[in-house]
Amino acid sequence: MAPVPAVRTLGVEEEYLLLDPVTGQSLPVADRVLAALAGPSREQSRQEFRHSMVEMVTPICTDLAELREHLVALRRAAAEAAEAAGARLVAVAATPVYEPHRSVPDKDRYRAMSHRFGPVAHDPAVCGCHVHVGVPDRELAVQVCNHLRPWLPVVQALTTNSPLHDGRDTGHASWRAIQFDRWPSVGPTPHFDSAADYDRTVRDLVDAGIMLDAQMVYWYARPSVAYPTVEIRVGDVCPTVDDTVLVAALLRALVATTAEDVRAGRAAPRIRNCLVAAAHWRAAHDGLDGDLVDLRAGGSRPAWELIDDMVAAVTPALARYGDLDVVHHQLDRLRRDGSGATRQRRILADTGGDVRAVLDELAARTLDA
């Protein structure tokens, strides 16, 4: 295996919705938004699978302050471009009201996905947060993904930010997770014996027509197709920059800690796939406001107990990277304020179900620096 890096790099991809400021409906103006971006923000933007979405991608970072600075700048640039196009940039993970225009952008790949997967490819837009942590050794990256399996439902619960669909509360803290699960290549990462085992399985799935290619591996953690990283893609897009920074810090510490476990010869727990899937469903349903499945010991426990366990497990890595104080501060805030889903529901309760008030607050929090 490659030498252990002194600091594992970080990168974040965030997807956002473009919403009508009055009706809250999704607006198909992504092309105009992307065209209005300039300089670094244009280079760090991506066209997404919907005309009502944009994605912004940070450069490679080594510390949380740097990551935060890039996230703030990218959100502000995208919001200004959205405003010029008559839309609001909103960091929310599922279409909250309605998306009237569900055609895919005019790209060969998107057209092929639309043809192959039919109505699933035309579900209302959903937005995620993908965190890349540097792991240049691909064999190690596959083993790290094995070790992450028990912890990713806990991370998912922290990010829940999509209770609304069709203008109503779905009863789920992350409707994005429930909707996105309709894709056949989405879900918990299977356990793999090696990188060769991983590659062979992906080839088999492509040959079976489950995916068009390896880029359609939408498992919750994977060795990145494009970068020397482990890419964790389990989370909803976070409502605020501080929420994103917290999740990125925890995931970097988890990757660093599990990489040490691999190097020390500690085997990843072999957990039945159905139990891992159940733990993710519970996280998507309850978020931080109920119990989560404890995949290490079995049974269910309050969400914050499992978060405390996770933080205790990664504290040495957090301390090593200088992230411990930031993480404790942000977790204290999250305990007080709740997840994005909790905050949205609080506004609904306080306003008698006013979805527009929720979207106004989300738009403001998207730019909260």
Side-chain angles (χ1 to χ4, degrees):
M1 293 184 179
V4 180
V7 177
R8 294 199 177 273
T9 58
L10 271 176
V12 172
E13 302 165 356
E14 288 192 314
E15 298 163 341
Y16 315 105
L17 287 182
L18 301 166
L19 302 182
D20 187 297
V22 177
T23 68
Q25 290 189 0
S26 301
L27 290 180
V29 295
D31 287 347
R32 291 165 58 189
V33 172
L34 294 173
L37 294 169
S41 62
R42 181 67 185 92
E43 296 169 5
Q44 291 159 228
S45 66
R46 302 287 186 272
Q47 183 182 51
E48 259 301 330
F49 195 56
R50 280 285 178 277
H51 292 290
S52 58
M53 294 172 62
V54 294
E55 181 181 57
M56 305 301 286
V57 180
T58 72
I60 298 170
C61 302
T62 56
D63 67 73
L64 298 186
E66 179 189 13
L67 179 68
R68 191 180 192 283
E69 181 180 337
H70 285 298
L71 288 167
V72 169
L74 291 172
R75 286 188 177 207
R76 285 178 174 170
E80 290 174 4
E83 185 177 8
R88 288 200 298 195
L89 188 84
V90 181
V92 64
T95 299
V97 177
Y98 184 66
E99 183 171 25
H101 304 283
R102 301 189 194 176
S103 62
V104 299
D106 189 21
K107 294 177 66 173
D108 289 344
R109 176 178 176 76
Y110 291 163
R111 287 195 300 270
M113 291 169 68
S114 175
H115 176 74
R116 177 63 180 169
F117 300 101
V120 172
H122 297 272
D123 280 341
V126 292
C127 296
C129 173
H130 306 161
V131 177
H132 289 259
V133 181
V135 183
D137 184 318
R138 197 161 180 278
E139 195 70 50
L140 176 60
V142 169
Q143 299 304 320
V144 163
C145 291
N146 289 340
H147 281 261
L148 288 174
R149 279 161 50 93
W151 293 117
L152 291 187
V154 183
V155 175
Q156 181 179 14
L158 282 166
T159 72
T160 47
N161 185 40
S162 51
L164 299 179
H165 171 70
D166 201 23
R168 293 186 294 273
D169 191 334
T170 63
H172 294 77
S174 174
W175 184 249
R176 166 188 168 271
I178 303 302
Q179 180 185 308
F180 198 36
D181 197 48
R182 281 160 53 92
W183 288 88
S185 56
V186 169
T189 311
H191 190 287
F192 293 105
D193 293 333
S194 64
D197 184 26
Y198 179 97
D199 292 338
R200 182 169 54 251
T201 302
V202 171
R203 286 196 302 270
D204 288 346
L205 290 170
V206 172
D207 290 345
I210 303 302
M211 302 183 286
L212 298 182
D213 51 39
Q215 287 180 279
M216 282 195 70
V217 173
Y218 297 148
W219 294 325
Y220 296 149
R222 67 179 186 180
S224 172
V225 175
Y227 308 110
T229 66
V230 167
E231 179 184 2
I232 299 103
R233 44 191 302 120
V234 70
D236 284 2
V237 67
C238 295
T240 72
V241 166
D242 283 338
D243 293 323
T244 303
V245 170
L246 169 62
V247 171
L250 288 169
L251 285 173
R252 175 163 66 173
L254 274 170
V255 169
T257 301
T258 55
E260 292 171 3
D261 289 339
V262 174
R263 292 180 182 277
R266 290 186 282 272
R270 299 298 290 256
I271 308 166
R272 292 182 185 276
N273 289 339
C274 61
L275 291 177
V276 182
H280 281 287
W281 183 89
R282 189 69 186 268
H285 186 273
D286 287 13
L288 298 181
D289 296 326
D291 290 350
L292 298 177
V293 178
D294 187 340
L295 288 172
R296 298 163 305 137
S300 297
R301 295 169 58 202
W304 279 103
E305 286 188 9
L306 285 171
I307 292 168
D308 289 342
D309 285 356
M310 180 175 67
V311 173
V314 302
T315 287
L318 291 170
R320 183 163 66 248
Y321 296 141
D323 298 343
L324 191 56
D325 288 345
V326 170
V327 165
H328 281 308
H329 175 72
Q330 295 302 335
L331 284 173
D332 287 344
R333 176 185 58 82
L334 209 58
R335 286 180 199 268
R336 181 181 68 250
D337 297 342
S339 68
T342 304
R343 294 171 226 169
Q344 291 180 53
R345 286 170 168 156
R346 187 180 301 127
I347 297 169
L348 284 176
D350 290 345
T351 61
D354 188 346
V355 172
R356 181 171 174 177
V358 175
L359 299 182
D360 288 345
E361 179 68 14
L362 281 170
R365 295 288 76 78
T366 298
L367 298 180
D368 188 359

